[in-house]
């Protein structure tokens, strides 16, 4: 089914004028360190951040001395003293390149990850591309299929469950009932020169329902430009998912069967000087604030990315004004 939505392409310059009207503020450097390189940063309650980095391999120090190589820290921000401090939150399974979402209680879901293992006995980069090789000194294992939950109260991880398949660069959305929607992700580190056996054009739910995983034609069509797709749950319950330059609505309350009966296609983005709106030409995306006076209309904005005519970044934004959610 194809659905027409109000879609507008605007220049990022429109936002520049509004930003200039804001009262200028001064940046200040806080004293202290994060303990790890915050490649993945997630907000925790009580002015804290969860930071996750890539396991160190050559030419970097063999193990991060701040964490003994365990890759994750909790960063506490003291805004009164303009300082930060950190504590280590050890991970057992490599969470670099994972997908993330927040839980209603302030916890964090970290799904999927990377195949590299870390050992006190050898540098993982030595064994490339067989970076998941383990030995007696291994303390971080391949994390491609892991489901992780971080509890900010106990400050501990639960990494005991797995997905139905491996996912590197998946997207994760926490739905209104607490279910996780987990979409796309390659089965191993993506190499554009060798794409054999890396496609995973599926999504799944956690806890599982309907099937172990469900095929999505949009993810198969867009490969290899289908990693970290943009996804949000709209007020009516359907999931907005944009991949490359195509967009669908997925109803999580309907069993897709074998024919994607829970999926409707939205009008595509107009052709323009823009690379696929997805990794590795990655734009950013967000929901505009919803207002009661506008009947809680959800509008998705996607900005930036890469141009096709040059190697420059794009200043374009696309607005999906989701006025209604049609029946599927």
């Amino acid at each position: 089914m194809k659905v027409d939505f109000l879609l507008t392409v605007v220049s990022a310059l429109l936002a520049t004028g509004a930003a200039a009207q804001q009262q200028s503020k001064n940046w200040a450097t806080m004293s202290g360190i994060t303990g790890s390189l915050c490649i993945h940063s997630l907000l925790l309650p009580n002015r804290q951040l969860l930071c996750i980095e890539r396991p160190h391999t050559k030419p970097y120090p063999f193990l991060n001395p701040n964490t003994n190589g365990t890759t994750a820290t909790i960063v506490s921000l003291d805004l009164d003293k303009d300082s930060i401090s950190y504590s280590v939150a050890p991970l057992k399974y490599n969470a670099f390149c994972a997908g993330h979402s927040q839980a209603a209680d302030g916890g964090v879901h970290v799904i999927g990850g990377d195949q590299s293992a870390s050992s006190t006995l050898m540098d993982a980069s030595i064994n490339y591309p067989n970076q998941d090789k383990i030995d007696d000194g291994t303390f971080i294992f391949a994390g491609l299929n892991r489901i992780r939950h971080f509890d900010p109260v106990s400050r501990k991880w639960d990494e005991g469950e797995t997905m139905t398949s491996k996912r590197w660069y998946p997207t994760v959305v926490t739905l209104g009932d607490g279910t996780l929607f987990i979409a796309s992700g390659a089965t191993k580190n993506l190499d554009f020169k060798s794409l054999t056996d890396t496609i995973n054009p599926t999504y799944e739910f956690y806890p599982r329902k309907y099937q172990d995983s469900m095929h999505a034609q949009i993810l198969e069509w867009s490969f290899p430009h289908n990693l970290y797709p943009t996804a949000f749950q709209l007020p009516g319950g359907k999931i907005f998912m944009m991949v490359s330059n195509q967009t669908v609505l997925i109803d999580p309350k309907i069993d897709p069967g074998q024919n994607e009966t829970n999926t409707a296609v939205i009008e595509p983005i107009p052709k323009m000087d823009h690379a696929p709106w997805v990794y590795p030409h990655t734009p950013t995306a967000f929901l505009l604030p919803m207002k009661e006076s506008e009947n809680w209309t959800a509008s998705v904005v996607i900005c930036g990315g890469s141009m096709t005519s040059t190697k420059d970044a794009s200043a374009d934004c696309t607005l999906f004004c989701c006025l209604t959610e049609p029946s599927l």
Side-chain angles (χ1 to χ4, degrees):
M1 177 185 296
K2 187 174 182 180
V3 180
D4 293 331
F5 273 59
L6 178 61
L7 183 154
T8 309
V9 179
V10 297
S11 170
L13 293 176
L14 293 178
T16 304
Q21 296 176 14
Q22 300 290 329
Q23 182 179 358
S24 62
K25 302 287 186 179
N26 294 324
W27 289 94
T29 301
M30 304 181 76
S31 62
I33 63 173
T34 60
S36 63
L37 181 62
C38 299
I39 296 176
H40 303 300
S41 301
L42 298 103
L43 183 64
L44 300 176
N46 302 318
R47 294 180 177 175
Q48 297 180 108
L49 294 175
L50 177 64
C51 286
I52 302 172
E53 68 177 355
R54 180 178 186 172
H56 287 204
T57 57
K58 290 183 178 179
Y60 304 102
F62 181 53
L63 296 179
N64 180 347
N66 300 314
T67 64
N68 290 323
T70 56
T71 72
T73 59
I74 304 168
V75 181
S76 299
L77 290 77
D78 188 329
L79 302 184
D80 295 324
K81 297 181 180 179
D82 286 334
S83 65
I84 59 175
S85 59
Y86 74 91
S87 58
V88 179
L91 277 162
K92 183 177 180 180
Y93 297 95
N94 192 343
F96 176 59
C97 302
H100 320 87
S101 69
Q102 306 277 162
D105 63 359
V108 170
H109 308 294
V110 179
I111 310 297
D114 191 79
Q115 67 187 23
S116 300
S118 288
S119 168
T120 58
L121 302 182
M122 68 180 171
D123 186 327
S125 65
I126 295 174
N127 295 303
Y128 183 83
N130 299 312
Q131 293 175 288
D132 56 350
K133 183 178 180 180
I134 62 175
D135 57 30
D136 291 340
T138 300
F139 61 94
I140 292 183
F141 298 82
L144 283 162
N145 66 345
R146 283 289 149 177
I147 296 174
R148 307 171 195 78
H149 306 286
F150 182 77
D151 182 348
V153 177
S154 66
R155 294 191 165 200
K156 292 183 179 180
W157 291 95
D158 178 357
E159 301 181 82
E161 297 189 72
T162 59
M163 292 180 287
T164 60
S165 60
K166 299 176 179 179
R167 298 186 189 272
W168 184 84
Y169 279 40
T171 287
V172 185
V173 178
T174 303
L175 304 184
D177 62 358
T179 300
L180 299 185
F181 171 76
I182 306 168
S184 194
T187 58
K188 60 182 180 180
N189 303 46
L190 192 64
D191 180 356
F192 280 93
K193 296 180 181 180
S194 178
L195 296 174
T196 305
D197 299 326
T198 59
I199 185 172
N200 187 357
T202 67
Y203 63 90
E204 60 185 279
F205 295 100
Y206 175 84
R208 294 176 191 169
K209 63 179 181 178
Y210 306 136
Q211 307 162 39
D212 283 349
S213 63
M214 284 133 286
H215 178 267
Q217 179 59 36
I218 190 173
L219 294 175
E220 182 171 354
W221 161 81
S222 56
F223 181 77
H225 297 101
N226 66 352
L227 303 182
Y228 279 157
T230 295
F232 299 98
Q233 187 173 36
L234 303 180
K238 296 184 178 65
I239 300 166
F240 170 102
M241 184 169 74
M242 178 179 173
V243 191
S244 186
N245 65 348
Q246 300 288 330
T247 311
V248 295
L249 289 180
I250 297 173
D251 192 334
K253 296 181 180 179
I254 296 178
D255 185 343
Q258 302 300 316
N259 300 308
E260 297 189 65
T261 55
N262 66 341
T263 303
V265 179
I266 296 177
E267 187 71 21
I269 294 176
K271 291 183 178 180
M272 53 194 301
D273 185 10
H274 201 290
W277 297 71
V278 74
Y279 172 87
H281 315 283
T282 311
T284 191
F286 53 92
L287 279 169
L288 291 177
M290 292 176 281
K291 302 177 181 178
E292 183 178 8
S293 60
E294 297 176 355
N295 197 30
W296 308 113
T297 296
S299 296
V300 178
V301 180
I302 303 175
C303 290
S306 304
M307 301 176 68
T308 53
S309 59
T310 70
K311 295 183 179 180
D312 295 336
S314 172
D316 290 320
C317 291
T318 295
L319 168 67
F320 290 88
C321 188
C322 308
L323 299 177
T324 59
E325 292 184 39
S327 300
L328 298 178

